[in-house]
C-alpha cells in the first residue's frame, strides 16, 4: 500500500484541537464528552480499514474516567494499549498464542490514567508482547504509518501512534520497554516522553523482572498535552523518591549545556544521512536559542548491546514458559511468532550468562549518571535510520537477519530503559519524501521538567509539521 497520507481531521467536535483544548471546552460546556467520543469513534472507523490500529472496540461501552478538579483531561477520548488490563476488556498482547478473555481487574496504571479523566474507547494494537520495533505480525495485517501507509509506524505502541497521528484522538496510552514510546513517536511525528522509572505507577509486567525496563506514558501531538497528562497523573499518584513534576507550562529560562551524539557506539548501527542531518539541524536551532552544544560520547558499547539482547531473550523465554499460568490455560508456545521464538532459543543457548548480564546492566545506571557531570541533557537520534517499509522488520524474516536489522535500527533507546532515566522524542526532522524524523533528548533521573521545558522551546520556535497540511 502506497500513496497519500491518511488522516481523519475534519469539521466535527474534535476539530484540530489537542487534549488540553478539548478538556477546556468540556469544562466550559461548549461540547460534551459524549460528542467527543462519538467523533473519535467515527474517525476511528474512517481510518481503521487503511491503518489497522485498533485491537478492541469498546465504542458502545467506553470506560469513562473520573471527574473533579484533579481530572484535568476529563471528557477527552483515548485508547489503552493492548498490554495493560482494564476490567471487562480483553488484553491480547498482540499474540496469536492464546485467546484473550475479558480482564477481571484493572491494572494500577490504568486506574491512574482513568484518574486523569480520560475516556477509554478501546485497545490499540502492538506487535507480539511488544518485542518488535515494528507493529507487524506473522499472519495478520500490520499497523501502517499514517504519513505513508507503505511504511512502519514503529512499535511497540504502533497502534496508539497511528491513531494519534491520524487525528482519531489527541492522546493515547503507550509504554516503553526498549523504545516503544519514543520509536513510534519518531516514526509518526509525535511527542513521546518516556518518564523516569517510578514516575507513574509501575507496570505489572515489568515489576516482576530483575531489571524493570517498562514505563508507561502517552503519545501526543503537542508538548502541552504530554505535560498536562503527567501533571494530572501526579495528582493520582506521586512517587516521594522523585522530585515533584507539577504542570510544566512553557520553556525554561536557563540556558543548557547539551552533549551531541550522532553515532551509536555499536559498530553495526550506522546513523543514516537523513537522521544525522535532522539531529544536526536541531543542534543548530538549540545553539541559535542560546544553548551550548558540544560533541559527546555515550559510555555504552557492544557489550551493552549483547547484554540487552540476551535480557530481551530472557523476557521471551519467560513468556513462553509461564504463558499457561499467567495468560491463559490454552496458551500454545508453538504459536508464538518468529521473533519471540528466536529470542527464546537464543536465551536458552546462553542462559548461564544471565547473572553477569543482570549485574552489568544494573551497573549501566552509574555510567549513565556520569554523563551529566558535564551536560544538562544529551541530544542524539531516536533511531539509527528512518522508518523502514512494512516487511523489513516482519517477524517472518529469518531470525538472525531480523535481529541484525533490529540492532542496526534500535541503537539508542534501550539505554534509558535499562537505567530507568527519562528521555523524549520530538518531531523536529523530516525525510526527503516528507515523513517525520524524531530526535532524542536524554536527561538525568527525575528531570522530566528539563526535557519538557526544552521541548516547549523547540515547539514554540518552530511548530511541528501537521499531517493535514
Amino acid at each position: 500500500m502506497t500513496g497519500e497520507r491518511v488522516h481523519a481531521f475534519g469539521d466535527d467536535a474534535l476539530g484540530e484541537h489537542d487534549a488540553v483544548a478539548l478538556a477546556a471546552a468540556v469544562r466550559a460546556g461548549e461540547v460534551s464528552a459524549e460528542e467527543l467520543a462519538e467523533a473519535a469513534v467515527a474517525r476511528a472507523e474512517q481510518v481503521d480499514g487503511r491503518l489497522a490500529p485498533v485491537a478492541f472496540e469498546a465504542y458502545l461501552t467506553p470506560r469513562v474516567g473520573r471527574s473533579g478538579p484533579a481530572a484535568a483531561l476529563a471528557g477527552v477520548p483515548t485508547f489503552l494499549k493492548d498490554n495493560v488490563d482494564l476490567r471487562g476488556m480483553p488484553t491480547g498482547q498482540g499474540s496469536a498464542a492464546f485467546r484473550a478473555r475479558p480482564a477481571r481487574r484493572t491494572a494500577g496504571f490504568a486506574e491512574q490514567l482513568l484518574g486523569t479523566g480520560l475516556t477509554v474507547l478501546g485497545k490499540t494494537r502492538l506487535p507480539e508482547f511488544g518485542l518488535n520495533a515494528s507493529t507487524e505480525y506473522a499472519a495478520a495485517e500490520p499497523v501502517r504509518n499514517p504519513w505513508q501507509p507503505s511504511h512502519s509506524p514503529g512499535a511497540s505502541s504502533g497502534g496508539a501512534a497511528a491513531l494519534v497521528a491520524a487525528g482519531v484522538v489527541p492522546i493515547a496510552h503507550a509504554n516503553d520497554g526498549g523504545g516503544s514510546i519514543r520509536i513510534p513517536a519518531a516514526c509518526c511525528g509525535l511527542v513521546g516522553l518516556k518518564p523516569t522509572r517510578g514516575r507513574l505507577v509501575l507496570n505489572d509486567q515489568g515489576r516482576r523482572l530483575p531489571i524493570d525496563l517498562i514505563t508507561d506514558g502517552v503519545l501526543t501531538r503537542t508538548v502541552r498535552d504530554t505535560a498536562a497528562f503527567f501533571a494530572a497523573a501526579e495528582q493520582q499518584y506521586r512517587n516521594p523518591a522523585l522530585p515533584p513534576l507539577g504542570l510544566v507550562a512553557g520553556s525554561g529560562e536557563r540556558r543548557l549545556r547539551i552533549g551531541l551524539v550522532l553515532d551509536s557506539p555499536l559498530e553495526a548501527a550506522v546513523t543514516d544521512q537523513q537522521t544525522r542531518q535532522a539531529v544536526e539541524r536541531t543542534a543548530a536551532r538549540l545553539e541559535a536559542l542560546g544553548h551550548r552544544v558540544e560533541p559527546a560520547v555515550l559510555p555504552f558499547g557492544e557489550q551493552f548491546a549483547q547484554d540487552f539482547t540476551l535480557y530481551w531473550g530472557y523476557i521471551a523465554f519467560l513468556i513462553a514458559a509461564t504463558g499457561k499460568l499467567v495468560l491463559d490455560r490454552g496458551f500454545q508456545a508453538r504459536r508464538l511468532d518468529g521473533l519471540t521464538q528466536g529470542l527464546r532459543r537464543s536465551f536458552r543457548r546462553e542462559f548461564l550468562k544471565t547473572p553477569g548480564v543482570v549485574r552489568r546492566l544494573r551497573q549501566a545506571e552509574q555510567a549513565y549518571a556520569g554523563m551529566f557531570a558535564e551536560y544538562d541533557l544529551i541530544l542524539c537520534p531516536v533511531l539509527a535510520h528512518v522508518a523502514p517499509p512494512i516487511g523489513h522488520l516482519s517477524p517472518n524474516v529469518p531470525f538472525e537477519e531480523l535481529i541484525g536489522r533490529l540492532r542496526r535500527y534500535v541503537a539508542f533507546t534501550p539505554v534509558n530503559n535499562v537505567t530507568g532515566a527519562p528521555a523524549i522524542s520530538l518531531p523536529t526532522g523530516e525525510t526527503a519524501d516528507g515523513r517525520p524524523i524524531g530526535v532524542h533528548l536524554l536527561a538525568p533521573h527525575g528531570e522530566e521538567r528539563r526535557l519538557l521545558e526544552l521541548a516547549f522551546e523547540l515547539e514554540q520556535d518552530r511548530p511541528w509539521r501537521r499531517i493535514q497540511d
Side-chain angles (χ1 to χ4, degrees):
M1 181 185 296
T2 58
E4 72 283 354
R5 302 169 188 173
V6 176
H7 70 80
F9 286 102
D11 185 18
D12 57 15
L14 292 168
E16 297 186 353
H17 301 300
D18 67 0
V20 170
L22 292 172
V26 171
R27 287 193 297 272
E30 298 168 1
V31 68
S32 69
E34 291 76 18
E35 289 173 313
L36 295 182
E38 288 173 5
V41 167
R43 290 187 178 195
E45 291 174 340
Q46 181 180 336
V47 305
D48 195 44
R50 295 193 64 186
L51 302 178
V54 179
F56 176 77
E57 300 172 0
Y59 301 160
L60 298 178
T61 56
R63 185 64 56 85
V64 178
R66 299 188 186 96
S67 59
L73 299 176
V76 177
T78 193
F79 283 77
L80 190 70
K81 187 173 172 180
D82 195 24
N83 62 355
V84 170
D85 284 345
L86 185 58
R87 187 171 59 84
M89 296 187 191
T91 304
Q93 299 281 356
S95 179
F98 71 103
R99 177 185 174 190
R101 305 176 192 278
R104 297 181 179 179
R105 56 180 289 278
T106 296
F109 170 76
E111 291 281 9
Q112 187 177 22
L113 181 139
L114 291 169
T116 70
L118 292 167
T119 295
V120 177
L121 299 178
K123 297 281 199 80
T124 58
R125 296 175 78 205
L126 69 154
E128 185 167 79
F129 296 102
L131 294 174
N132 204 344
S134 186
T135 310
E136 300 183 48
Y137 307 91
E141 178 70 12
V143 178
R144 297 181 180 274
N145 191 321
W147 289 82
Q148 191 171 86
S150 59
H151 281 63
S152 170
S156 64
S157 308
L163 287 173
V164 176
V168 173
V169 288
I171 184 170
H173 165 236
N175 49 31
D176 194 316
S180 297
I181 292 173
R182 294 158 289 157
I183 293 169
C187 294
C188 293
L190 303 173
V191 176
L193 171 62
K194 182 211 106 46
T196 304
R197 182 187 296 135
R199 173 67 71 184
L200 302 175
V201 174
L202 290 176
N203 188 287
D204 287 351
Q205 301 166 68
R207 70 201 316 172
R208 304 188 188 105
L209 298 171
I211 300 172
D212 184 357
L213 301 178
I214 304 170
T215 50
D216 287 281
V218 290
L219 290 165
T220 68
R221 296 191 296 270
T222 65
V223 177
R224 75 170 184 170
D225 274 3
T226 293
F229 172 81
F230 278 92
E234 193 172 58
Q235 294 293 309
Q236 315 306 316
Y237 164 80
R238 189 179 85 75
N239 186 339
L242 295 173
L245 182 57
L247 177 61
V248 182
S251 58
E253 296 183 1
R254 185 165 74 95
R255 299 299 85 186
L256 304 175
R257 187 177 181 184
I258 300 171
L260 173 63
V261 175
L262 293 172
D263 294 298
S264 168
L266 308 184
E267 292 183 7
V270 178
T271 303
D272 74 5
Q273 190 61 29
Q274 294 187 93
T275 301
R276 181 181 296 271
Q277 289 176 350
V279 178
E280 289 174 333
R281 287 168 181 163
T282 302
R285 286 175 59 191
L286 290 169
E287 288 187 317
L289 291 167
H291 301 282
R292 182 177 176 183
V293 181
E294 302 174 354
V297 178
L298 293 177
F300 306 97
E302 195 61 36
Q303 184 65 61
F304 177 88
Q306 292 174 7
D307 289 344
F308 185 83
T309 302
L310 187 68
Y311 194 78
W312 196 7
Y314 168 66
I315 293 171
F317 172 80
L318 287 180
I319 289 167
T322 66
K324 286 183 179 294
L325 296 174
V326 175
L327 297 168
D328 186 83
R329 286 180 295 179
F331 179 89
Q332 299 178 56
R334 62 180 177 80
R335 297 191 65 191
L336 293 167
D337 73 19
L339 176 60
T340 309
Q341 296 279 23
L343 287 168
R344 175 194 182 195
R345 288 193 302 270
S346 293
F347 174 76
R348 290 176 69 177
R349 287 195 299 267
E350 300 186 273
F351 74 94
L352 292 175
K353 297 180 180 178
T354 306
V357 165
V358 171
R359 183 180 67 253
R360 286 190 296 272
L361 290 178
R362 285 175 173 163
Q363 291 169 347
E365 189 170 337
Q366 184 176 356
Y368 181 90
M371 292 191 296
F372 298 99
E374 295 185 63
Y375 305 109
D376 297 304
L377 296 173
I378 299 293
L379 170 67
C380 67
V382 178
L383 295 156
H385 62 78
V386 299
I390 295 290
H392 181 76
L393 298 176
S394 166
N396 294 325
V397 172
F399 175 73
E400 293 301 330
E401 177 60 26
L402 177 57
I403 200 70
R405 291 179 181 183
L406 285 167
R407 289 183 59 174
R408 290 190 292 272
Y409 183 49
V410 186
F412 296 91
T413 53
V415 165
N416 288 73
N417 299 94
V418 171
T419 63
I424 194 168
S425 175
L426 299 174
T428 64
E430 62 181 286
T431 65
D433 59 358
R435 289 178 288 124
I437 299 175
V439 302
H440 203 198
L441 288 162
L442 321 182
H445 283 74
E447 291 294 343
E448 288 90 339
R449 173 171 286 273
R450 197 178 299 175
L451 291 171
L452 288 168
E453 286 178 345
L454 192 62
F456 266 114
E457 189 171 5
L458 285 167
E459 184 182 38
Q460 184 177 18
D461 174 62
R462 191 177 303 164
W464 322 133
R465 291 172 59 239
R466 307 190 320 163
I467 197 171
Q468 64 268 45
D469 291 339

